[in-house]
Amino acid sequence: MPRTEKKGFVDVAAGLEPVGDLPGVGPALQAALQRIGIERIQDLWFHLPLRYEDRTRLTPIRDLRIGESVQVEGIIEAVERSFRFRPQLRVVISDDARTMLTLRFFNFRRSQVEQLNPGTRLRCYGQIRHGAQGPEIVHPQYQRVTAGASEVAETLTPIYPVTEGLGQKRLASVIELALRKLPADEVLELVPPILRKDMQLLSLRAALLLVHRPPADADVAALLLGTHPAQQRLAFEELLSHHLSLRQLRVQIRQHGAPRLRGDGKLRKALLRSLPFRLTSAQQRVNGEIAEDMAEAQPMLRLVQGDVGSGKTVVAAWAALAAIECGYQVALMAPTELLAEQHLRNLGAWLAPLGIEPVWLAGKVQGKARTTVMAALAADAQLVVGTHALMQQGVQFRDLGLVIIDEQHRFGVHQRLALRDKGRAGERVPHQLVLTATPIPRTLAMTAYADLDVSVIDELPPGRTPVTTVALSSSRRGEVIERIRIACAEGRQVYWVCTLIEESEQLEAQAAEVAFAELGGLLEGIAIGIVHGRLKPMEKQAVMDDFRSGRIALLVATTVIEVGVDVPNASLMVIENAERLGLAQLHQLRGRVGRGNQASSCVLMYQAPLSAMARERLTAMRETSDGFVIAEKDLELRGPGEMLGTRQTGRLEFRIADLARDAGLLVEVQRIGAIMSEAHPALCERLVARWIGAASNFANA
């Protein structure tokens, strides 16, 4: 029998029974549940809805608003299939007011088309967006209904994370069985009552029951926004568990030793003498903080955050030389080949005159070239730059002393540790320096990066040209294209960025191809290139090389160019459908221009009418180029581009918490986390296990 603690808050046995103990959960269903991390009954309690669908009412088509998810009902007026660019099914419905709505499908079956006949009544659910003929829903959920059918859902419908072979209805029924075993609060609670008394939180049991079974009188608007007190109660505990896991990680790593990197400074002084610019006072301050960390026998764990163009790469080069001076190797890892190659070029230009040639390792390095690189890493290579390939099996270092990771939020913590472990020697591990160009408000950074010390480069180098930002309706597209013609005639270079709501590399690539063809027809005589995520690495590199060299004047691209592209002659950027992007991503993209000495501009082209939030985002972009001001605004607005991307602990994303939306909880999370770490270590472990489960094993690395 599992041990039971009568004293204190928790019955250790509560919810730890395997899900197979629930009636109707056989081996096949148990296996499907395991694929989404559900092994115990407790895991079902905390398998929380991703969102809710409001199917409690029908919305007249005339009242639809762009961006809202709604349920509508209407009669099919027309059905049209086309195969231009790609197969497409277009269904037009109208309601009793004879107002039209288009339903658009890109993936469909013949049997589906045969059921969608004019005169059929459909009830549909989906997100409204702009279409060529008015409002439309892409890939709505729908069902055929009889005239006069009035049954709609009585409560909000929770939508859970699922997996292949496990649908929403089946999972919801299993969760319902588990909820019947939900124990009393004194058994469930892991955060001592005295620590949360000032927060006036709902009880954990009440919160769980409400989010899984939202009653008819629940605050629908709050639940859809994630601000309901029940969701806030659970978000608080989830944020606390992640914060505690990172504190545990920091303690674990600090128990290791690290090489004392106190070099003679000759290489670093030579670098500073050779640079065509002087370091800013902010860069010098951060260099000093890094030097202090690396001189200790404990591993450095430092995050350097700085705005676009603030000079993080040269700080990374300076840190790398501190390790190389002491005879140690350095590895720099970036999330994309474009960004990694940018680092390779910059570091090569700065360090080659000092006798240091960076080695390159990415997935595309194969055969003899890969064998040569691997041999160099095991022998005399001083610095390697690469992508995820640096973490792969078979990559071995002679003596890795420093790991540098760029765009930290694109990697999980476990990936950072995997690279660190390449340099483990007994109880000694390399120092770690992580970089991000996403400015993060201090409170957010202290919680999201509790395992790291934070340095901020809060000063831009002199000479950076301010970027003038304008927002124009797509109805003025012709004027924008003419502006491109003039810029190219003057010898300047231009980006045209294509965006899509759908997170599909294939659809983004198709959108870029369409823009490429259109602009090619309208701008004859101008060399145009295209780059997107579907191109092979060598094709992508060839296009980028042509753009850097000036052989291409206009580059049509997807958001793949968000980071890692540095072309000083590019002084104009057009972002198509800019209203679809969050502030952080818009700011990153804009950072690709204004890198030379020419006056630079960024045109945010949008589809009218704008939602209130989209208007605020575009206004913020016009009013400031300060990344930290934009970060605060992003935190306030919670745009679709999350400030921290998919910040992960292990590989697990937040189930209910949202760092931007729930920023108000973070001060208490830090306060309670500090007390619990000292006074209740056993409860901390169990809180982390509850929310993070097996992913928390990384803390023992």
Side-chain angles (χ1 to χ4, degrees):
M1 287 289 290
R3 178 173 62 90
T4 301
E5 290 182 6
K6 296 297 183 186
K7 187 179 180 181
F9 321 104
V10 181
D11 180 343
V12 178
L16 298 186
E17 305 90 341
V19 290
D21 286 3
L22 294 172
V25 180
L29 180 53
Q30 204 166 348
L33 289 167
Q34 282 181 338
R35 287 200 293 275
I36 51 175
I38 295 174
E39 297 183 352
R40 305 164 300 175
I41 290 175
Q42 173 184 267
D43 297 333
L44 287 164
W45 301 338
F46 291 92
H47 190 74
L48 302 173
L50 288 167
R51 63 185 187 279
Y52 296 91
E53 292 178 352
D54 184 2
R55 301 181 185 231
T56 62
R57 58 197 171 94
L58 293 170
T59 302
I61 294 175
R62 66 172 177 270
D63 295 339
L64 298 180
R65 294 182 182 177
I66 302 303
E68 287 187 347
S69 293
V70 296
Q71 183 171 242
V72 297
E73 194 172 295
I75 302 290
I76 296 179
E77 299 287 346
V79 179
E80 177 186 41
R81 275 196 290 182
S82 68
F83 297 90
R84 188 183 177 193
F85 301 123
R86 54 177 166 159
Q88 188 176 144
L89 174 65
R90 183 172 160 268
V91 179
V92 178
I93 66 171
S94 70
D95 61 9
D96 296 338
R98 305 299 298 164
T99 314
M100 303 293 179
L101 171 68
T102 300
L103 313 176
R104 198 178 297 277
F105 302 86
F106 297 111
N107 299 305
F108 55 91
R109 301 179 304 278
R110 179 182 294 179
S111 59
Q112 184 179 356
V113 179
E114 291 169 352
Q115 293 176 346
L116 297 174
N117 299 313
T120 302
R121 179 175 288 271
L122 296 182
R123 182 171 294 171
C124 313
Y125 183 89
Q127 187 179 52
I128 304 300
R129 71 175 210 175
H130 284 291
Q133 282 81 41
E136 68 177 27
I137 304 178
V138 175
H139 283 289
Q141 300 172 40
Y142 69 89
Q143 64 184 83
R144 293 181 294 173
V145 295
T146 57
S150 59
E151 302 86 359
V152 292
E154 293 183 359
T155 64
L156 294 182
T157 305
I159 302 299
Y160 295 100
V162 292
T163 185
E164 188 177 347
L166 180 63
Q168 288 290 336
K169 287 185 178 179
R170 187 75 180 102
L171 178 57
S173 68
V174 177
I175 289 174
E176 179 59 35
L177 289 172
L179 289 174
R180 294 173 191 172
K181 293 181 173 288
L182 201 60
D185 269 311
E186 59 268 20
V187 176
L188 270 178
E189 296 287 0
L190 291 175
V191 183
I194 193 169
L195 295 183
R196 50 186 165 83
K197 66 175 183 177
D198 295 333
M199 296 188 68
Q200 299 181 327
L201 296 170
L202 274 181
S203 76
L204 186 57
R205 188 176 196 278
L208 284 169
L209 289 173
L210 196 144
V211 298
H212 285 296
R213 303 169 176 166
D217 60 350
D219 185 338
V220 172
L223 279 169
L224 293 175
L225 289 171
T227 57
H228 191 284
Q231 293 164 311
Q232 290 291 285
R233 169 67 181 90
L234 295 167
F236 158 72
E237 188 165 300
E238 184 175 27
L239 287 169
L240 178 60
S241 71
H242 280 251
H243 182 71
L244 290 170
S245 74
L246 292 174
R247 290 179 73 104
Q248 289 176 0
L249 174 61
R250 183 182 179 86
V251 169
Q252 291 283 349
I253 294 178
R254 290 288 192 187
Q255 290 175 353
H256 294 290
R260 289 182 182 270
L261 303 181
R262 296 174 175 170
D264 56 17
K266 287 181 180 177
L267 288 175
R268 283 172 284 177
K269 288 174 184 173
L271 171 68
L272 297 183
R273 284 195 302 269
S274 68
L275 291 174
F277 52 84
R278 290 176 59 84
L279 296 190
T280 64
S281 58
Q283 288 171 311
Q284 293 175 38
R285 183 189 71 248
V286 172
N287 281 348
E289 292 167 350
I290 291 170
E292 285 183 20
D293 286 353
M294 293 173 66
E296 298 297 326
Q298 281 186 324
M300 172 175 70
L301 300 166
R302 185 163 292 276
L303 168 71
V304 173
Q305 60 163 317
D307 206 349
V308 176
S310 61
K312 295 178 297 300
T313 308
V314 74
V315 167
W318 191 89
L321 290 177
I324 292 170
E325 285 173 357
C326 298
Y328 288 92
Q329 295 173 295
V330 179
L332 188 155
M333 181 169 73
T336 67
E337 288 193 358
L338 271 179
L339 181 52
E341 286 166 346
Q342 182 70 47
H343 284 310
L344 185 69
R345 272 187 296 275
N346 285 334
L347 293 172
W350 293 334
L351 304 186
L354 309 181
I356 298 166
E357 291 286 349
V359 173
W360 168 247
L361 183 61
K364 66 183 181 184
V365 179
Q366 296 294 332
K368 288 183 180 179
R370 187 177 183 84
T371 303
T372 302
V373 172
M374 302 286 260
L377 293 180
D380 56 356
Q382 295 166 296
L383 170 64
V384 61
V385 178
T387 59
H388 296 76
L390 291 171
M391 299 183 296
Q392 291 174 354
Q393 264 191 329
V395 178
Q396 294 184 336
F397 292 86
R398 167 180 51 79
D399 207 348
L400 185 61
L402 173 64
V403 167
I404 303 172
I405 302 198
D406 199 8
E407 291 304 317
Q408 154 73 2
H409 65 276
R410 305 250 184 132
F411 295 102
V413 172
H414 73 293
Q415 291 176 308
R416 174 154 57 86
L417 294 177
L419 181 54
R420 180 209 70 178
D421 285 346
K422 293 288 184 184
R424 181 182 283 211
E427 285 302 304
R428 198 190 72 191
V429 297
H431 295 280
Q432 294 181 61
L433 179 66
V434 295
L435 315 173
T436 180
T438 304
I440 308 160
R442 186 171 181 273
T443 307
L444 209 54
M446 287 172 63
T447 299
Y449 297 104
D451 56 325
L452 301 168
D453 296 310
V454 178
S455 292
V456 180
I457 304 178
D458 51 6
E459 181 183 357
L460 288 178
R464 283 299 299 260
T465 310
V467 179
T468 302
T469 303
V470 296
L472 297 176
S473 166
S474 57
S475 62
R476 298 175 66 181
R477 188 184 187 92
E479 295 175 42
V480 173
I481 291 172
E482 187 58 31
R483 188 170 172 179
I484 291 172
R485 186 194 308 279
I486 294 168
C488 292
E490 293 172 348
R492 296 187 287 146
Q493 289 173 279
V494 182
Y495 294 99
W496 181 288
V497 183
C498 301
T499 66
L500 277 184
I501 292 175
E502 296 90 346
E503 291 182 4
S504 164
E505 207 173 62
Q506 182 177 353
L507 295 182
E508 277 204 337
Q510 288 173 343
E513 294 281 4
V514 171
F516 176 71
E518 178 199 6
L519 293 169
L522 294 172
L523 296 169
E524 290 184 14
I526 292 176
I528 304 179
I530 181 170
V531 62
H532 53 68
R534 303 280 287 182
L535 291 179
K536 293 177 180 177
M538 288 183 66
E539 295 172 326
K540 201 184 303 179
Q541 187 58 49
V543 174
M544 293 310 302
D545 287 345
D546 284 345
F547 189 56
R548 284 189 194 91
S549 67
R551 290 189 291 273
I552 288 175
L554 170 60
L555 181 66
V556 178
T558 61
T559 52
V560 70
I561 61 147
E562 181 185 342
V563 292
V565 178
D566 187 4
V567 181
N569 191 47
S571 58
L572 173 59
M573 171 174 282
V574 178
I575 305 177
E576 199 172 9
N577 300 311
E579 76 280 4
R580 296 175 175 176
L581 298 182
L583 268 174
Q585 198 170 17
L586 286 170
H587 182 62
Q588 288 288 329
L589 286 167
R590 180 172 61 182
R592 299 307 105 207
V593 293
R595 304 178 82 86
N597 54 16
Q598 300 183 62
S600 298
S601 304
C602 178
V603 178
L604 307 174
M605 199 157 57
Y606 62 86
Q607 291 276 0
L610 285 173
S611 69
M613 184 175 287
R615 184 174 288 106
E616 280 201 68
R617 284 202 298 267
L618 298 189
T619 299
M621 287 292 294
R622 289 202 311 270
E623 290 178 348
T624 182
S625 58
D626 185 323
F628 288 91
V629 173
I630 283 174
E632 294 287 355
K633 189 66 176 177
D634 204 16
L635 186 60
E636 175 191 331
L637 290 179
R638 195 198 165 213
E642 274 192 18
M643 321 180 62
L644 299 176
T646 52
R647 166 65 177 171
Q648 300 167 328
T649 302
R651 287 191 66 87
L652 188 71
E653 297 179 25
F654 290 125
R655 305 181 200 183
I656 196 165
D658 181 296
L659 283 168
R661 180 194 67 214
D662 303 326
L665 298 171
L666 297 180
V667 171
E668 284 299 293
V669 162
Q670 292 169 40
R671 181 185 70 83
I672 293 174
I675 296 170
M676 286 190 67
S677 294
E678 292 295 323
H680 304 283
L683 290 177
C684 292
E685 285 184 19
R686 294 180 37 211
L687 194 61
V688 170
R690 167 184 282 177
W691 285 94
I692 302 176
S696 65
N697 291 340
F698 70 81
N700 298 318

